[in-house]
Amino acid sequence: AVVSLPARRLGGQHVIVTSGPTHEPIDPVRYIANRSSGAQGAAIAAALRDLGARVSFVTGPAEVPPPEGVEVIAVETAREMREAVEAALPADAAVMAAAVADWHVANARPGKIKKDGTGKLPELEFAENPDILAWISQLPQGRPALVVGFAAETDDVLENATRKRKRKGCDWIVANDVSPATGIMGGVENAVTLISDEGAESWPRLSKGEVARRLAERIADALSLEGD
Ligand code: CTP
Ligand code: CA
């Protein structure tokens, strides 16, 4: 008899997941960063693992520990994250859940900046970080078959996210409204809309684990079509 195996749907597939914030040093004791617990990225990595994928989990300094059973590549800065993602290629899919700092401090100091007693304030110069999602989406060779980005927005969520998908060249964007009133930032639940070239599909408010499981199932569906 033919039996179907619903689990292990991603057996033999390699997926890169970025997660957490990046920290961009100002000096050895100070940094700038984005707010991110890393909870949604860790849940996605665990859900992909549960479907049998080999997961390269490239994580900034997150609050939530990485899941068991994935390859953890710990990084600090956006530039290190990009290098780690490149080193993890090739991959069948990439899910960029990290909250990457948009800028690093161009005049970061090798030694601690001291108050000099005169009240003179330090001046920080910023330089733009590499856009890891746009870079991987537009790789001329070795682009993962499926690239998924995130868009955490506070205003005009769907318009911004739809534009972001086009601009970056990724296949899907998982959009969410992170306005303080939603309580999503730092919480256990998420309310997302999945945007693809087929349009926008809003999911109900779910636990981050359930969002991750649904997304992993969708990724398995997409990669199985790809392999046909
Ligand atoms: N991203 C990335 N590298 C960056 C910035 C963002 O890989 N340097 C990825 C994030 O992981 C996420 C997606 O791009 O999957 C969208 O991030 P977001 O910060 O919303 O996009 P930005 O282009 O930085 O736009 P914004 O000005 O709204 O911050
Ligand atoms: Ca950004």
Side-chain angles (χ1 to χ4, degrees), residues 34 98-103 131 152 164 167-168:
N34 279 28
V100 183
D102 291 310
W103 309 282
D131 188 323
K164 212 163 258 182
R167 188 172 77 236
K168 303 212 183 208

